[in-house]
Amino acid sequence: MRPKHRLEPLLNPAAIAIVGASSNPARIGGMPIAHLTKFGYAGQIYPINPKYREVFGLRCWPDIEALPAAPDLVVLALAAPDVLPMLRRCAAKGVRAVIVYAAGFAEEGEKGAALQAELQAYVATTDLVVAGPNAMGFANLNSQAHTSFASVFNTAPMQAGRGSVSLLTQSGNVCAAVYAIARRLGVDFSHFINTGNEACVDFAQYLEYLAQDAATEVCMGYIEELRDGPRFIAAAEEFARQGKLLILYKAGETDKGSEAVRSHTSALAGDRAIYQAAFRQLDIIQAHDFVQMAQLAHLAGYRHRSAGKRVAIITISGALGAILADKFIAAGLEVPTLPQALQDQLRAGIPDYGMVTNPVDVTGNVVNDPGFVRTAMRALAQSDAVDCVVIYAPGYLLDRMADDLCAVSAQYPRLFVAIDTGAAQTREQLRAGGVPVFEDIGVASAALAPFLLWQERRRHKRWRALRAQAAPQHQALPAVLDEYTTKQLLARHGVPGAGERVATTADEAVAAAQALGYPVVLKVCSPDIAHKTEAGGVRLRLQDAAQVRQAFDEVLSSARRYAPAARIDGVLVARMEAGVAELIVGATRDPVFGMTLTVGLGGVLTELYQDVSHRLLPVDEAIAREMLQELKAYPLLTGYRGRPHADVDAACAAIAAFSCAVLALGAQVAEAEVNPLLVRQQGQGVCMLDALLIPA
Amino acid sequence: MRPKHRLEPLLNPAAIAIVGASSNPARIGGMPIAHLTKFGYAGQIYPINPKYREVFGLRCWPDIEALPAAPDLVVLALAAPDVLPMLRRCAAKGVRAVIVYAAGFAEEGEKGAALQAELQAYVATTDLVVAGPNAMGFANLNSQAHTSFASVFNTAPMQAGRGSVSLLTQSGNVCAAVYAIARRLGVDFSHFINTGNEACVDFAQYLEYLAQDAATEVCMGYIEELRDGPRFIAAAEEFARQGKLLILYKAGETDKGSEAVRSHTSALAGDRAIYQAAFRQLDIIQAHDFVQMAQLAHLAGYRHRSAGKRVAIITISGALGAILADKFIAAGLEVPTLPQALQDQLRAGIPDYGMVTNPVDVTGNVVNDPGFVRTAMRALAQSDAVDCVVIYAPGYLLDRMADDLCAVSAQYPRLFVAIDTGAAQTREQLRAGGVPVFEDIGVASAALAPFLLWQERRRHKRWRALRAQAAPQHQALPAVLDEYTTKQLLARHGVPGAGERVATTADEAVAAAQALGYPVVLKVCSPDIAHKTEAGGVRLRLQDAAQVRQAFDEVLSSARRYAPAARIDGVLVARMEAGVAELIVGATRDPVFGMTLTVGLGGVLTELYQDVSHRLLPVDEAIAREMLQELKAYPLLTGYRGRPHADVDAACAAIAAFSCAVLALGAQVAEAEVNPLLVRQQGQGVCMLDALLIPA
């Protein structure tokens, strides 16, 4: 058996002490005790306060030293200055874990930051697990171990049975808000966790606990900033490996939003696009809304049914079918036209003014022929042309179909989903029968689309498999990193170079040009000059020896004027190349996720339209192809409007080779870029026109 | 007093007969009578069916001829073949309006279309107002004149008082679905209208009625296809003129959605982008969701408060402030940093770990200092830096602020909005006190953003004023429309041309080139060759007389080979121009909205990124500037990354002149295009490089 996780005493304690206990259930020292007693926690509860003999009918202890045994967990309802002395006393007593409510640490200026550093330094010398500070506390809804002062447990209805959805947020208020919404939808919880300042335990450590926690099958999370990227990635991979579902909302979706988050947590919000790429590669569903997140948690209960992105829509109204198709397609799903044989089967029970293509409009007539519903649903449950069936029928019409839907759902694994904008009596029957029910079209598509796309992606676990294999050969960085040596290095990993030579005299330059063939390009070759054009260090379209000689002199003199102290290794002579398109292929080090790869078409419009694709490394040829296909400008590579087809295969191979090169260089490199990578016509390959490596 | 609208007997009848009356409230002949009696319609009700003596306690009449008087309105609960004979009897009796429930008309194949054509032809010979066919019927919720078989009136709670929101849809099922959602939100209705096949009365006529209807202040509409664009525009303008709010959902937001709509209504869904432009120019709020539409109707009740797009956000949680700011900014609103003086005022009551910039985080501490809330709200109500204040406070915290919020709201016209994800007891008090309350952040921003942007736009009614003035001079189209004559025509309206001449001999071409200055361009000039490059009819960068002579011969011979039958008027000699950017400026005729103008940057990427802006004509310089500023590529015109600034003023003037030219040509033109319009550096103007007119 696996040993217990070190957060176990924090999140599943057998005995809890509350220092600063109060008999007032509205105060932070009273509320957790009120919850523990009211909701039936079976473990030991030790209120501690020298002012009281008894609170909530429990014996109150004068101090921690007086307790008959060391509790697993101590909750500190104390002000910031009193925290550290009490931590020392907890450690002396043999306590395993502590929750610190107090604000006044890193979120509050320099003085608070110093106090937090002191706390961290002390805890590092002990075995204590310390949550917070500036946290609202936790709740284990299966054991009813309540350690929070969240008033939401007084207002939202408590679940009747066990739950398997955990909530993990970097804000106490968000934790409470999402809990309230999800409870209204009937989501049953395992853990309620908010992380506060994460002085000693960060988001990724809680996530790691939940990945191992047998009671947790789904986690809804809210992130402002990740502190430990590798640990987060490992925890997310464990979720995926176990088929558990991770739904995350990342704050900072616009710049103003990011700014507010920055002030709030004194932390930089990571780059939106990188988070998005990472979530996708890690099989995480990214939510953008609390209601959507809660609906996803609800849907997650149906994740073992068979589903994917091709949806059949069944309605009693052509208009509503069209609206649903609109929403689904806009959200990335497919609404494929049904095969003719299936259409013929459906037509047998649908009047002429109905539709059978998809959306299927069975018309209001369906009520007169109940046998047809079961036949139609059975046919849809068996068809290879769709992955999921969505039925829109308001109130009483859904009620008439409910028995048939449940019967078909019991017989076949395919996911059926119902949308009822009326007031069907059979909603609970359907949900229990394996058919989730939504009350609104917009809400349904906002939750269904990412859920079905997640189901679809689970079939394609390429990246995580690739990552497991990747063990790159270490490669030392050359001493001098000019354009020529950089290209040579990348070329050794398989990124194709162009024909080019370094010349140190005009004669050598002419000889190189003649060997390569005119027209040629001359570029100054220096590890110290990154912006060669600005330095006057580039001459294009040179047609003969005379032009090469003149250019050689101009390039060197311009470069020397521009950067007198620069080391100049000579002049690069290269064939003047032409192709179908130019790509930019770059790698940058994200502070959270490590090396990430970016691909886009070169040029100023790509920047204005933000038309780029990101992935965490490694990237193989198949992932490179996905990245190119994601670009809006991708048609420029595939014969758009009579243009020649570009050598996409060679481009993908070059991108994968670039990924290998960057992994091999490891921590030595801060940034790497091929810009542009010239893509020639199909069959004619690609080549680097320029390349850059910035050491770490 | 204005005469009553011709739809008055349809929508506000004093007496109603139901032909095909039934005593079963579940049947379509029984349901309207059940509603009329149950909800207390005060007018006369005449059930008609020879099989019954009495239904729902009312005398039932054997036939329409037997009625003591002609009712305003007759509802036909009959099958399609029986409709036309009964219409004749209604006309003979002196009936003013008829509702036809029956399906089996244009929506159902050729035979149905013929039946509908017959109905239309007959009705055109009478004074009858005929709604439907294939309609669910209406409800006037103020007079309780129910003429529908919509079961939603049995399930959704009936409103207690009068309502001022009308619902107008092209689908009966959508009408019922939106009604149910809006009633749950407490929206009170005036009219419930669905238009069916619109054989005789179309969407725009109903809208015209509602614009004039004193009981209607807000209209929620659902459109699949508009049949009468000019009438729609006039009705929407009347809504705007009266300060009434029009909220429309247009089906067909993706191609598959459009396809389903097409099958459903046998009608082409109009172009999405044109609808979007038209809605914006007509002060219509475009909704994309039923819930959003219903929330907008709810918000509309607060439209007389002062509001705009600059929002102050007040929360008790930095995280939630950040999330709100994210949502608002993504939806087009602004969350400006507050002026320093206001920040100082707020800081007086907010602890150090709170924030005062905007979002303002008052922290949970606010509960301890209630006086501060009123002071802060009053300061925000008076600040010139914001237009609207949004307060997020869950449940009990909102309850503590409610009195202060209502007091400040009573004293100042500024709109305050509350968001409560908890369960505040004071929601109704706040709503009654002028403060709308939302229960979810996502829903709140989805409704607030378009509402506040509408408030903002109402201040800028430029286009509608411009349209009222526009009375273009008619201009005849020249007999021959080649590039040269087209440019000459556009130039007469003020679109700048380039220096260019037509040459019919090589000598003339050389003379022209010398007069214009080298380098020059030669282009074949023919009304029959639209694609000059494909025809080999273009030569660029000609440097001297010899090159011009050779090019002249090549251009003519290529063009003759390409199109032997083409009329060739000579060769256009033009200066070779260079500039900062190239625009495409085009006008096309939309089947619904008439001439519309499109502006984009030239080039293949603009097409791939769909980076264009649309407007209905007329477009003046200010609107042209808005259009350019909407382009994602706009920075290319304003010095992006060290590029020269383009002459944006001249471009706007040219676009406005193009608009005038197109209006002057009126119905003679199907399409017009300047592509490219070359934009030179600031101060150096613009010129047409190519232009095209396609006659209607």
Side-chain angles (χ1 to χ4, degrees):
Chain A
M1 205 182 126
R2 178 191 292 206
K4 289 212 166 142
H5 194 277
R6 69 186 284 268
L7 300 191
E8 188 75 12
L10 201 58
L11 297 166
N12 197 19
I16 304 171
I18 298 91
V19 177
S22 162
S23 56
N24 180 348
R27 299 192 66 96
I28 62 169
M31 206 179 294
I33 310 175
H35 292 161
L36 287 166
T37 50
K38 177 172 163 196
F39 300 125
Y41 173 61
Q44 193 67 43
I45 311 170
Y46 299 113
I48 299 178
N49 192 332
K51 285 194 269 178
Y52 303 105
R53 301 296 299 272
E54 193 184 289
V55 297
F56 297 94
L58 299 168
R59 172 171 176 187
C60 189
W61 304 76
D63 52 43
I64 190 140
E65 289 78 7
L67 296 187
D72 278 351
L73 174 61
V74 176
V75 176
L76 301 189
L78 300 174
D82 302 329
V83 166
L84 194 49
M86 188 55 73
L87 278 182
R88 294 183 199 277
R89 291 167 64 186
C90 288
K93 179 74 182 181
V95 165
R96 299 169 66 198
V98 180
I99 296 175
V100 182
Y101 285 171
F105 288 88
E107 81 286 2
E108 204 170 323
E110 274 179 41
K111 216 178 120 200
L115 198 57
Q116 182 160 324
E118 203 184 336
L119 181 150
Q120 282 171 312
Y122 168 67
V123 173
T125 67
T126 72
D127 288 331
L128 280 178
V129 175
V130 177
N134 192 22
M136 199 182 263
F138 309 138
N140 179 327
L141 283 314
N142 288 323
S143 71
Q144 300 296 351
H146 284 263
T147 55
S148 88
F149 59 91
S151 62
V152 69
F153 295 110
N154 295 323
T155 50
M158 187 51 66
Q159 67 202 39
R162 294 181 62 82
S164 62
V165 176
S166 284
L167 184 53
L168 170 59
T169 72
Q170 289 189 322
S171 153
N173 285 300
V174 169
C175 207
V178 175
Y179 179 82
I181 293 168
R183 284 299 302 139
R184 278 207 293 274
L185 293 170
V187 172
D188 291 336
F189 284 88
S190 42
H191 289 281
F192 172 100
I193 305 170
N194 55 92
T195 64
N197 284 7
E198 304 187 357
C200 307
V201 184
D202 82 327
F203 190 92
Q205 286 183 60
Y206 291 103
L207 197 65
E208 183 184 271
Y209 174 85
L210 294 174
Q212 296 175 20
D213 178 35
T216 297
E217 291 177 23
V218 177
C219 173
M220 289 192 274
Y222 165 79
I223 297 174
E224 290 172 354
E225 182 217 7
L226 285 177
R227 291 174 169 84
D228 186 344
R231 195 168 198 159
F232 171 81
I233 290 175
E237 283 183 315
E238 183 63 17
F239 262 82
R241 204 185 60 72
Q242 295 193 29
K244 294 182 175 187
L245 181 53
L246 188 50
I247 305 160
L248 295 179
Y249 184 161
K250 169 71 176 70
E253 301 195 307
T254 67
D255 291 334
K256 187 75 181 193
S258 307
E259 197 185 299
V261 166
R262 203 146 56 226
S263 324
H264 179 58
T265 63
S266 356
L268 259 170
D271 177 30
R272 288 188 285 284
I274 303 294
Y275 269 89
Q276 199 180 344
F279 285 5
R280 188 184 148 148
Q281 283 174 277
L282 290 163
D283 272 357
I284 296 166
I285 297 186
Q286 185 167 14
H288 302 278
D289 199 273
F290 294 168
V291 170
Q292 183 201 20
M293 187 149 70
Q295 292 280 11
L296 279 163
H298 172 63
L299 258 184
Y302 301 90
R303 72 191 183 287
H304 298 302
R305 301 199 69 90
S306 159
K309 70 175 174 183
R310 297 172 307 158
V311 181
I313 299 172
I314 315 298
T315 75
I316 49 90
S317 150
L320 287 159
I323 288 172
L324 274 170
D326 254 0
K327 298 269 176 231
F328 287 172
I329 291 165
L333 300 178
E334 292 171 13
V335 183
T337 301
L338 299 180
Q340 192 58 48
L342 185 51
Q343 289 194 29
D344 293 344
Q345 252 179 303
L346 294 170
R347 180 54 81 193
I350 296 178
D352 281 354
Y353 61 93
M355 295 195 303
V356 293
T357 47
N358 193 18
V360 175
D361 176 5
V362 296
T363 79
N365 244 25
V366 72
V367 298
N368 305 323
D369 183 4
F372 168 66
V373 172
R374 191 179 290 216
T375 312
M377 294 304 152
R378 199 172 281 146
L380 287 162
Q382 295 179 80
S383 168
D384 289 339
V386 298
D387 305 313
C388 172
V389 183
V390 175
I391 295 128
Y392 173 91
Y396 68 107
L397 282 176
L398 187 60
D399 287 340
R400 299 202 196 182
M401 299 186 205
D403 288 341
D404 285 333
L405 268 174
C406 289
V408 174
S409 214
Q411 195 179 351
Y412 300 96
R414 178 151 299 162
L415 180 65
F416 284 72
V417 176
I419 302 176
D420 163 32
T421 53
Q425 307 297 309
T426 50
R427 286 183 181 180
E428 286 315 312
Q429 178 199 340
L430 284 162
R431 284 173 181 150
V435 180
V437 184
F438 289 93
E439 350 184 347
D440 175 64
I441 286 173
V443 168
S445 53
L448 259 183
F451 177 72
L452 294 178
L453 292 171
W454 175 77
Q455 294 270 34
E456 186 77 24
R457 276 201 308 274
R458 283 212 294 175
R459 304 176 187 169
H460 310 288
K461 299 188 176 174
R462 167 177 297 282
W463 182 72
R464 286 185 292 106
L466 193 65
R467 193 173 124 83
Q469 297 158 18
Q473 201 86 41
H474 180 74
Q475 160 131 32
L477 217 50
V480 176
L481 276 175
D482 58 25
E483 178 184 340
Y484 185 75
T485 53
T486 299
K487 281 174 169 171
Q488 292 288 317
L489 189 158
L490 293 173
R492 279 198 295 282
H493 286 274
V495 190
E500 59 186 31
R501 300 181 185 184
V502 178
T504 53
T505 66
D507 285 342
E508 278 179 30
V510 169
Q514 267 154 359
L516 294 164
Y518 288 103
V520 296
V521 179
L522 261 59
K523 295 192 271 188
V524 65
C525 196
S526 161
D528 303 324
I529 300 179
H531 301 289
K532 291 182 279 280
T533 303
E534 254 174 54
V538 180
R539 291 294 180 281
L540 306 173
R541 289 187 208 87
L542 306 172
Q543 304 284 359
D544 53 36
Q547 289 185 359
V548 168
R549 269 179 211 288
Q550 189 189 342
F552 184 88
D553 294 338
E554 286 172 4
V555 158
L556 285 185
S557 55
S558 296
R560 286 198 184 106
R561 264 198 312 278
Y562 176 81
R567 164 183 167 153
I568 292 180
D569 296 329
V571 172
L572 201 64
V573 184
R575 252 200 319 268
M576 180 83 202
E577 296 271 358
V580 180
E582 296 186 350
L583 298 179
I584 173 169
V585 181
T588 50
R589 186 169 300 282
D590 182 80
V592 174
F593 295 106
M595 269 302 186
T596 61
L597 198 139
T598 300
V599 171
L601 261 81
V604 69
L605 284 175
T606 295
E607 195 175 340
L608 282 173
Y609 293 124
Q610 289 288 307
D611 187 21
V612 289
S613 173
H614 303 283
R615 290 289 188 285
L616 311 191
L617 292 186
V619 165
D620 66 2
E621 294 182 35
I623 296 178
R625 190 176 305 273
E626 264 179 33
M627 295 178 77
L628 290 175
Q629 286 169 348
E630 274 173 25
L631 301 177
K632 292 208 193 82
Y634 181 65
L636 294 182
L637 300 179
T638 56
Y640 187 70
R641 298 237 156 182
R643 297 162 72 107
H645 279 257
D647 200 331
V648 174
D649 291 344
C652 294
I655 294 167
F658 179 81
S659 163
C660 286
V662 172
L663 283 176
L665 292 166
Q668 303 169 94
V669 172
E671 290 181 38
E673 189 177 278
V674 176
N675 183 18
L677 177 75
L678 184 82
V679 189
R680 302 195 193 90
Q681 284 198 34
Q682 207 157 34
Q684 296 177 20
V686 303
C687 70
M688 296 181 270
L689 293 191
D690 202 349
L692 184 70
L693 270 175
I694 301 178
Chain B
M1 204 182 127
R2 179 192 291 207
K4 289 209 165 144
H5 193 278
R6 67 186 284 268
L7 300 191
E8 188 74 13
L10 200 57
L11 297 166
N12 197 19
I16 303 170
I18 297 91
V19 177
S22 162
S23 55
N24 181 349
R27 299 190 66 94
I28 62 171
M31 204 178 295
I33 310 175
H35 292 161
L36 287 165
T37 50
K38 176 172 163 194
F39 300 126
Y41 173 59
Q44 194 66 43
I45 310 169
Y46 299 114
I48 298 178
N49 191 333
K51 286 194 267 179
Y52 303 106
R53 302 296 300 270
E54 196 183 287
V55 297
F56 296 95
L58 299 168
R59 173 172 174 186
C60 190
W61 303 76
D63 51 44
I64 188 138
E65 289 77 8
L67 296 186
D72 279 351
L73 174 60
V74 175
V75 176
L76 301 189
L78 300 174
D82 302 329
V83 167
L84 194 48
M86 188 57 74
L87 278 181
R88 293 183 198 277
R89 291 167 65 184
C90 288
K93 178 74 182 178
V95 166
R96 298 168 67 198
V98 180
I99 296 175
V100 182
Y101 285 170
F105 288 87
E107 83 285 1
E108 204 171 323
E110 274 180 41
K111 218 180 119 200
L115 198 58
Q116 183 161 324
E118 203 184 336
L119 181 150
Q120 282 171 310
Y122 168 68
V123 172
T125 67
T126 71
D127 288 332
L128 280 178
V129 174
V130 177
N134 191 21
M136 201 183 262
F138 308 140
N140 180 327
L141 284 314
N142 288 324
S143 71
Q144 300 296 352
H146 283 264
T147 56
S148 88
F149 59 92
S151 60
V152 71
F153 295 110
N154 294 325
T155 50
M158 187 51 64
Q159 67 203 39
R162 293 182 62 83
S164 62
V165 176
S166 284
L167 184 53
L168 170 59
T169 71
Q170 289 188 322
S171 152
N173 284 302
V174 170
C175 207
V178 175
Y179 179 84
I181 293 168
R183 285 297 303 137
R184 279 206 293 271
L185 293 170
V187 172
D188 291 335
F189 283 89
S190 45
H191 290 280
F192 173 100
I193 306 171
N194 56 92
T195 64
N197 284 8
E198 303 188 358
C200 307
V201 184
D202 83 326
F203 189 90
Q205 288 183 59
Y206 291 103
L207 196 65
E208 183 185 88
Y209 174 86
L210 295 174
Q212 296 175 19
D213 178 36
T216 297
E217 292 178 20
V218 176
C219 173
M220 290 193 272
Y222 167 78
I223 297 175
E224 290 173 353
E225 182 217 7
L226 285 177
R227 290 175 170 81
D228 187 343
R231 195 168 200 160
F232 171 81
I233 290 175
E237 282 182 314
E238 183 62 18
F239 262 83
R241 205 186 59 74
Q242 294 193 29
K244 294 181 175 187
L245 181 53
L246 188 49
I247 305 159
L248 296 180
Y249 184 161
K250 168 72 176 72
E253 301 194 308
T254 67
D255 292 332
K256 186 77 182 192
S258 307
E259 196 185 299
V261 166
R262 200 144 57 227
S263 325
H264 180 55
T265 64
S266 357
L268 257 171
D271 178 26
R272 288 188 286 282
I274 302 294
Y275 268 90
Q276 198 179 342
F279 285 4
R280 187 184 151 150
Q281 283 175 277
L282 289 164
D283 271 358
I284 296 167
I285 298 186
Q286 184 168 14
H288 302 278
D289 199 275
F290 294 167
V291 170
Q292 183 200 22
M293 187 151 69
Q295 292 281 10
L296 279 162
H298 172 63
L299 259 184
Y302 302 90
R303 74 190 182 286
H304 299 300
R305 300 199 69 89
S306 159
K309 69 175 172 182
R310 296 171 309 156
V311 181
I313 299 173
I314 316 298
T315 73
I316 48 91
S317 151
L320 286 159
I323 288 172
L324 274 169
D326 255 359
K327 299 269 177 231
F328 287 171
I329 291 165
L333 299 177
E334 292 171 13
V335 183
T337 300
L338 298 180
Q340 192 58 49
L342 186 52
Q343 289 193 30
D344 293 344
Q345 250 180 302
L346 294 171
R347 181 52 82 194
I350 295 178
D352 282 353
Y353 60 93
M355 297 195 302
V356 292
T357 47
N358 194 17
V360 175
D361 176 5
V362 296
T363 79
N365 244 21
V366 73
V367 299
N368 304 324
D369 184 3
F372 168 67
V373 172
R374 192 179 290 218
T375 313
M377 294 303 152
R378 200 173 280 145
L380 287 162
Q382 295 177 82
S383 167
D384 289 338
V386 297
D387 305 313
C388 173
V389 183
V390 175
I391 295 126
Y392 173 92
Y396 69 105
L397 282 176
L398 186 60
D399 286 340
R400 299 200 194 182
M401 300 185 203
D403 288 341
D404 286 333
L405 268 173
C406 289
V408 175
S409 214
Q411 196 179 350
Y412 300 96
R414 178 151 300 162
L415 180 65
F416 284 72
V417 176
I419 301 176
D420 162 33
T421 53
Q425 308 296 309
T426 51
R427 285 183 181 181
E428 285 316 311
Q429 178 199 340
L430 284 161
R431 284 173 181 150
V435 180
V437 184
F438 289 92
E439 1 185 336
D440 175 64
I441 285 174
V443 168
S445 55
L448 259 183
F451 178 72
L452 294 177
L453 291 171
W454 175 78
Q455 295 271 31
E456 186 78 23
R457 277 201 309 274
R458 283 213 295 175
R459 306 176 185 170
H460 309 290
K461 299 187 179 174
R462 167 177 295 284
W463 181 71
R464 287 185 291 106
L466 193 65
R467 194 174 121 83
Q469 298 158 18
Q473 203 86 40
H474 180 74
Q475 160 133 30
L477 217 50
V480 176
L481 276 176
D482 59 27
E483 177 182 341
Y484 185 73
T485 52
T486 299
K487 283 174 167 171
Q488 292 288 316
L489 189 158
L490 293 173
R492 280 199 294 280
H493 286 274
V495 189
E500 58 186 30
R501 300 183 186 183
V502 178
T504 54
T505 66
D507 285 341
E508 279 179 29
V510 170
Q514 268 154 357
L516 295 164
Y518 288 103
V520 294
V521 179
L522 261 60
K523 295 193 271 186
V524 65
C525 195
S526 160
D528 304 324
I529 301 179
H531 302 288
K532 292 184 277 280
T533 304
E534 255 175 53
V538 180
R539 292 291 181 284
L540 305 175
R541 289 187 209 86
L542 306 172
Q543 304 284 0
D544 54 33
Q547 289 186 0
V548 168
R549 268 178 212 288
Q550 191 189 340
F552 184 88
D553 293 339
E554 286 172 4
V555 158
L556 285 186
S557 54
S558 295
R560 286 199 185 106
R561 262 199 313 278
Y562 176 80
R567 166 183 167 152
I568 294 180
D569 295 329
V571 171
L572 201 63
V573 184
R575 249 197 323 266
M576 181 84 202
E577 297 270 359
V580 179
E582 297 186 350
L583 298 179
I584 173 169
V585 180
T588 50
R589 186 170 298 283
D590 182 79
V592 174
F593 295 106
M595 269 301 186
T596 60
L597 198 139
T598 300
V599 171
L601 261 83
V604 69
L605 284 175
T606 296
E607 193 175 345
L608 282 174
Y609 293 124
Q610 289 287 308
D611 186 21
V612 289
S613 172
H614 303 283
R615 290 289 188 285
L616 311 192
L617 293 186
V619 165
D620 66 1
E621 293 182 33
I623 297 178
R625 191 176 304 272
E626 264 178 34
M627 295 178 77
L628 289 176
Q629 286 169 347
E630 275 173 22
L631 301 178
K632 291 206 193 83
Y634 181 67
L636 294 183
L637 300 178
T638 56
Y640 186 71
R641 300 236 155 182
R643 296 160 72 107
H645 279 258
D647 200 331
V648 173
D649 291 344
C652 294
I655 294 167
F658 179 80
S659 164
C660 287
V662 172
L663 282 175
L665 291 166
Q668 303 169 95
V669 171
E671 292 180 36
E673 188 177 278
V674 176
N675 183 17
L677 178 75
L678 185 82
V679 190
R680 301 196 193 91
Q681 284 199 32
Q682 208 157 34
Q684 296 177 21
V686 301
C687 71
M688 297 181 270
L689 293 190
D690 202 348
L692 184 69
L693 271 175
I694 299 178

